[in-house]
Amino acid sequence: MADAGYDDWVAAIADGEGYYLACPDGHGSLPPRRSCPHCASDELTEEPLAETGEIVTFTEVHVPAPSFADEAPYVTAIASFGSVRLTGVVRDVPRSDVELGMAVTPDVDVNATTGEQVLVFRPVDE
Amino acid sequence: MNDVRIAGVGLTKFGRYPERTGRDLFAEAALAARDEAGISRGDYDEVHYGNFMGELAEGQGHQGPVVAEAAGLDCPATRYESACASAGVAFRQAVQTIRGGGADVVLVGGMERMNNLGTSEVTRSLAIAADELFEVRAGVTFPGAYALMARAYFDEFGGDNEDLAHIAVKNHANAMTNEYAQFHREITVEDALESPVVADPLTLYDACPITDGASAVVLVSGDYADENGLDAPVRVAGSGQGGDKAALQDREYLAQTPAATKAAEMAYADAAITPDDVDVAEVHDCFTIAEVLALESLGFYEPGEGIGAAARGETTRDGDRPVNLSGGLKAKGHPVGATGTAQVVEMTKLLRGDHANSDAVPDARVGVTHNAGGTVASAVVHVLEVMN
């Protein structure tokens, strides 16, 4: 099933060319969207997503939904990229090393259970 | 504006009924409420009904007419869906309808059937209360979403799992005397801390159970109650609803629930009361951290101060303002679409003095119910008051 707007956004992240939608007042949001969720401006432009974000909260999920059955336990996090935040699965780092404030970069990987694409965060070497 | 009074309430015992149909569960609660109200069948103007996952659990959409028929009524019936706030929203719409003169007698309630699904299917079904594109696809489950909020709370304000454990212990203790509760088992702080991790930092005992059940309330206009000499001593004094972004990532706050704050402020203004006037509260503790966020949104505590309320004994049955004397969602159970009106049923009984735990609040006159949808992207608050 195709999801216009969202699929293009995921493909751009996979290509290392992630973007977000910005309104004239500087609010950020993600597609598909026709107006800013913060001020309702319909003048949205695509702006480059910051290459590096920072984890603001996370959880290790032990009881998964069926679509993540083969992934559990896995870490899902919300990370801040300037004026937008993204939610993704943390890859390439043991749970014990995941912490608030950790620098991550967004990428796209395969959900082992469904074979579908999933937004992931990978640690940034500092 | 027409006054709104509670003429009858009904509940099923909450629990595991994998073989019982949703229409049967609702009929049990609705007939109990109708029996208590004693209003003739032809006087019912509308049915307002909350349900969340009926399509997934029973393959049944368009449930309004199905459950109205089961309740023995022949009148317009509408289903409201707002995740875990479904019945709370249905209740608010019923209140607004009566206040506006659009109806004199409304049966309002809710039902959820969940245990006929396996745990993983229930987990999938509950997760659809989150944002499908941006949260569900990133592995966010319902417990996972509240775990994200809990970690954000600990980071911003402090507090720990032991504080949360005291909430679970309190609510299990309250449920012991509630015949309608799913659990009748006291637990200790150690039990809670040692229970399996569901989505860290939340463990099994931070979470409400998977519950089947139904609840129903008969609402009437003040004029109808007076003209028919009804015994309806509790009135709905205030109603409020608030909203927030669906996805946590788009919210201004990860450790506060402004949708509930707005709902509370609206309900308090409507009832012309302040948080200090509230004697007792039933709040939406689908997870222990949710009770903390509720206490703060209701204005009982400043942000960051509610986490220790149970441990300090302030919200226990012996405290100044008992919270979740029913056992809460945590121990009474959480049949999602039935919860909002189940809270109203419990509060009505607490205020009337015929609840098993009414002795904890013998002089209570003002009670508040707080019902949240999803990760509090929806919130409904009601103020109930004993009439003079």
Side-chain angles (χ1 to χ4, degrees):
Chain A
M1 186 177 74
D3 292 300
Y6 175 81
D7 289 347
D8 298 334
W9 179 74
V10 171
I13 299 252
D15 291 341
E17 296 173 355
Y19 57 84
Y20 70 98
L21 303 178
C23 77
D25 283 346
H27 302 132
S29 59
L30 300 175
R33 199 175 293 279
R34 290 170 187 258
S35 67
C36 174
H38 304 285
C39 67
S41 167
D42 57 5
E43 296 176 44
L44 300 180
T45 57
E46 292 183 4
E47 300 293 334
L49 185 69
E51 291 179 10
T52 302
E54 185 175 283
I55 289 180
V56 295
T57 188
F58 66 92
T59 178
E60 185 178 47
V61 177
H62 289 249
V63 181
S67 60
F68 275 80
D70 296 337
E71 301 256 344
Y74 58 91
V75 176
T76 288
I78 299 176
S80 175
F81 293 79
S83 58
V84 288
R85 290 188 296 213
L86 273 55
T87 308
V89 175
V90 179
R91 291 265 165 92
D92 300 345
V93 54
R95 157 68 185 87
S96 56
D97 290 349
V98 178
E99 56 187 15
L100 297 176
M102 194 172 113
V104 292
T105 186
D107 196 4
V108 175
D109 206 341
V110 174
N111 177 324
T113 311
T114 63
E116 294 176 353
Q117 291 188 313
V118 58
L119 185 77
V120 302
F121 297 135
R122 301 188 195 280
V124 174
D125 293 329
E126 293 181 342
Chain B
M1 189 174 74
N2 249 325
D3 200 25
V4 180
R5 311 257 292 271
I6 295 173
V9 296
L11 278 180
T12 66
K13 183 184 183 316
F14 285 3
R16 288 177 55 86
Y17 307 112
E19 74 291 349
R20 286 184 65 185
T21 62
R23 66 189 80 191
D24 177 59
L25 288 167
F26 186 73
E28 181 184 337
L31 293 178
R34 282 190 55 198
D35 189 48
E36 203 177 271
I39 295 170
S40 68
R41 177 174 184 257
D43 279 4
Y44 282 81
D45 296 307
E46 296 181 1
V47 173
H48 291 227
Y49 167 79
N51 173 264
F52 171 55
M53 59 167 75
E55 288 87 350
L56 298 171
E58 297 193 290
Q60 180 68 64
H62 201 191
Q63 291 192 17
V66 175
V67 300
E69 183 185 319
L73 297 177
D74 182 16
C75 60
T78 307
R79 168 185 166 188
Y80 293 83
E81 191 278 304
S82 203
C84 319
S86 295
V89 171
F91 186 83
R92 176 168 159 77
Q93 293 305 315
V95 169
Q96 305 280 58
T97 301
I98 293 173
R99 282 179 164 188
D104 277 314
V105 182
V106 177
L107 176 73
V108 53
M111 183 286 299
E112 208 73 61
R113 183 184 185 191
M114 302 166 74
N115 279 295
N116 56 326
L117 304 173
T119 300
S120 65
E121 277 302 315
V122 169
T123 303
R124 178 178 82 92
S125 303
L126 289 170
I128 67 171
D131 185 307
E132 200 280 322
L133 289 180
F134 293 102
E135 293 185 315
V136 178
R137 292 189 192 193
V140 174
T141 60
F142 193 47
Y146 272 92
L148 292 170
M149 298 167 84
R151 192 181 305 282
Y153 187 100
F154 290 168
D155 178 53
E156 184 168 348
F157 299 120
D160 57 25
N161 282 66
E162 190 167 334
D163 292 316
L164 297 182
H166 279 279
I167 297 167
V169 169
K170 165 179 78 73
N171 292 347
H172 271 263
N174 287 342
M176 290 296 286
T177 46
N178 185 353
E179 62 178 304
Y180 295 96
Q182 184 166 3
F183 292 141
H184 295 118
R185 180 164 46 89
E186 292 207 63
I187 63 167
T188 65
V189 169
E190 290 69 30
D191 291 335
L193 291 173
E194 291 167 7
S195 66
V197 174
V198 175
D200 76 343
L202 301 182
T203 69
L204 186 63
Y205 280 11
D206 286 309
C208 63
I210 296 167
T211 309
D212 308 310
S215 56
V217 178
V218 176
L219 288 179
V220 296
S221 67
D223 290 347
Y224 182 93
D226 292 342
E227 287 165 10
N228 291 277
L230 297 186
D231 178 24
V234 176
R235 63 186 286 263
V236 183
S239 175
Q241 184 173 355
D244 204 343
K245 307 281 191 292
L248 286 171
Q249 66 183 23
D250 295 329
R251 305 251 181 101
E252 184 174 0
Y253 301 99
L254 292 173
Q256 295 181 49
T257 51
T261 307
K262 290 173 201 158
E265 288 172 352
M266 191 186 297
Y268 291 153
D270 193 22
I273 66 162
T274 71
D276 288 343
D277 295 320
V278 177
D279 297 310
V280 56
E282 287 286 315
V283 309
H284 196 96
D285 60 324
C286 51
F287 297 92
T288 48
I289 186 66
E291 178 163 315
V292 177
L293 298 170
L295 298 178
E296 295 174 3
S297 279
L298 288 168
F300 301 161
Y301 294 91
E302 292 297 316
E305 300 295 322
I307 183 80
R312 293 190 297 265
E314 294 158 6
T315 51
T316 54
R317 63 172 288 140
D318 301 325
D320 288 343
R321 182 156 34 200
V323 171
N324 286 333
L325 281 171
S326 68
L329 286 53
K330 172 72 192 85
K332 184 186 66 183
H334 181 28
V336 176
T339 288
T341 37
Q343 293 174 319
V344 172
V345 172
E346 300 281 358
M347 184 56 69
T348 301
K349 291 181 174 181
L350 284 165
L351 293 176
R352 289 191 314 206
D354 57 355
H355 191 283
N357 282 332
S358 285
D359 60 339
V361 284
D363 302 318
R365 299 196 58 79
V366 177
V368 160
T369 61
H370 158 286
N371 183 205
T375 46
V376 204
S378 303
V380 194
V381 171
H382 284 96
V383 178
L384 305 189
E385 199 172 76
V386 181
M387 303 204 23
N388 290 321

